[in-house]
């Protein structure tokens, strides 16, 4: 785990307490400050505070990964049409209940050569507060749906909302998953302005970036259309996140 910054902060708190003779208010300040840092670590998947997640690919060439969360949905076929038109393969982190709702679309994702990841059975808003056993159940039930609907298995897992904590870390380990994060977050489920989403993504791109999008709206579909043209103009190729794992195993 990448705890180095947090260990340094903890040591700083101890020095701070010692320097000010450990008064009540100093202890209280350090408690809230350290709590804030832990919360930050829980919500920022790039920090790897509780879980080591793959957030980018180490590469010297201009290539990026397109990843889509929360599908399949009624919009996913349009995304697939666009990806097929541009001959691009992506990674889809699917919610189990959505797979049950749109099994034919899910099967099409697989048939067209895209990579599948587990995004829990229900993507509940309470994910960050579930016990380890409940998280394991969410992951395993999604695995079962993926297996039954697509006759495939996946080791890829993306934490809903990018939230991690000790229970989620334990569930990932018990289910033998590899956590996949991102280093380019579009915020396409929050931002309404398509131009702002597009600008946010294109300005943040680096070699090996993993881009987080959602195949859940017409808005993001239009952003994707512009983004694919941008990638072609800038001579970016694309990769799926499973190739990072396969590459690491071959090293």
């Amino acid at each position: 785990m990448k705890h180095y910054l947090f260990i340094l902060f903890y040591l700083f708190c101890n020095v701070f307490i010692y320097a000010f003779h450990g008064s009540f208010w100093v202890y209280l300040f350090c408690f809230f400050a350290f709590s804030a840092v832990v919360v930050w670590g829980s919500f920022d998947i790039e920090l790897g505070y509780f879980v080591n997640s793959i957030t980018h690919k180490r590469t010297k060439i201009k290539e990026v990964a397109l990843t889509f969360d929360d599908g399949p949905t009624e919009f996913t076929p349009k995304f697939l049409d666009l990806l097929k038109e541009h001959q691009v393969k992506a990674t889809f982190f699917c919610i189990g209940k959505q797979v049950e709702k749109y099994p034919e679309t899910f099967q099409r994702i697989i048939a067209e050569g895209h990579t599948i990841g587990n995004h829990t059975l229900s993507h509940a808003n309470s994910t960050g507060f579930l016990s380890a056993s409940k998280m394991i159940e969410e992951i395993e039930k999604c695995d079962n749906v993926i297996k039954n609907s697509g006759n495939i298995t996946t080791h890829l897992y993306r934490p809903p909302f990018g939230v991690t904590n000790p229970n989620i870390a334990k569930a990932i380990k018990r289910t033998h998953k590899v956590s996949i994060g991102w280093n380019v977050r579009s915020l396409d489920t929050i931002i309404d302005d398509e131009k702002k989403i597009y600008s946010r993504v294109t300005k943040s791109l680096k070699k090996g970036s993993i881009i987080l999008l959602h195949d859940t709206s017409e808005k993001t579909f239009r952003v994707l259309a512009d983004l694919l043209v941008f990638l072609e103009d800038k001579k970016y190729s694309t990769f799926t996140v499973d190739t990072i794992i396969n590459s690491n195993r071959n090293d």
Side-chain angles (χ1 to χ4, degrees):
M1 292 186 183
K2 304 170 187 175
H3 285 123
Y4 312 117
L5 292 175
F6 297 92
I7 291 172
L8 288 173
F9 183 77
Y10 175 75
L11 292 174
F12 166 79
C13 285
N14 279 275
V15 171
F16 188 78
I17 290 170
Y18 178 79
F20 287 90
H21 308 293
S23 72
F24 170 77
W25 292 110
V26 171
Y27 275 109
L28 191 64
F29 168 79
C30 288
F31 171 78
F32 282 114
F34 193 74
S35 297
V37 170
V38 171
V39 170
W40 174 33
S42 299
F43 281 89
D44 191 340
I45 199 167
E46 289 187 64
L47 292 176
Y49 183 56
F50 292 108
V51 177
N52 279 326
S53 299
I54 294 174
T55 58
H56 64 282
K57 179 180 182 179
R58 293 181 179 179
T59 180
K60 295 180 180 180
I61 65 175
K62 296 177 72 174
E63 58 178 343
V64 298
L66 295 171
T67 68
F68 299 94
D69 285 9
D70 296 0
T73 70
E74 61 185 292
F75 301 100
T76 305
K78 295 185 68 173
F79 283 76
L80 293 174
D81 290 342
L82 191 57
L83 293 170
K84 187 175 183 179
E85 178 185 338
H86 288 265
Q87 298 182 322
V88 168
K89 303 302 181 188
T91 305
F92 288 81
F93 289 93
C94 298
I95 298 172
K97 289 187 176 180
Q98 290 298 117
V99 173
E100 291 176 329
K101 190 174 181 180
Y102 299 97
E104 292 181 358
T105 302
F106 178 69
Q107 291 158 11
R108 181 184 167 189
I109 295 172
I110 298 168
E112 294 187 0
H114 301 288
T115 297
I116 298 295
N118 182 313
H119 202 38
T120 72
L121 178 70
S122 61
H123 198 293
N125 290 332
S126 59
T127 295
F129 302 96
L130 297 179
S131 66
S133 61
K134 284 291 185 182
M135 280 305 307
I136 291 170
E137 184 179 329
E138 278 282 316
I139 295 171
E140 289 182 339
K141 284 188 174 181
C142 184
D143 274 343
N144 291 337
V145 173
I146 288 172
K147 179 65 175 177
N148 292 337
S149 298
N151 196 31
I152 62 166
T153 58
T154 179
H155 295 297
L156 307 178
Y157 171 73
R158 174 166 280 168
F161 315 108
V163 174
T164 57
N165 59 36
N167 287 337
I168 292 172
K170 187 180 294 185
I172 290 172
K173 184 176 181 180
R174 292 277 182 87
T175 54
H176 309 290
K177 297 298 183 192
V178 178
S179 179
I180 307 296
W182 56 78
N183 64 353
V184 178
R185 189 172 194 172
S186 65
L187 295 180
D188 57 338
T189 58
I190 299 172
I191 300 172
D192 291 325
D193 190 323
E194 295 168 21
K195 291 182 179 179
K196 288 183 179 179
I197 298 170
Y198 172 81
S199 177
R200 179 181 175 86
V201 172
T202 54
K203 286 182 178 179
S204 303
L205 280 186
K206 300 176 182 177
K207 294 176 181 177
S209 285
I210 296 177
I211 305 167
L212 169 61
L213 297 162
H214 296 79
D215 53 323
T216 57
S217 70
E218 190 77 32
K219 170 184 63 180
T220 302
F221 168 76
R222 290 191 290 267
V223 171
L224 177 63
D226 291 338
L227 178 59
L228 290 173
V229 172
F230 172 87
L231 294 176
E232 290 174 356
D233 288 345
K234 299 299 181 182
K235 309 300 181 185
Y236 274 96
S237 59
T238 58
F239 64 90
T240 53
V241 295
D242 55 312
T243 61
I244 304 175
I245 301 165
N246 295 335
S247 176
N248 291 341
R249 287 172 177 169
N250 293 330
D251 288 343

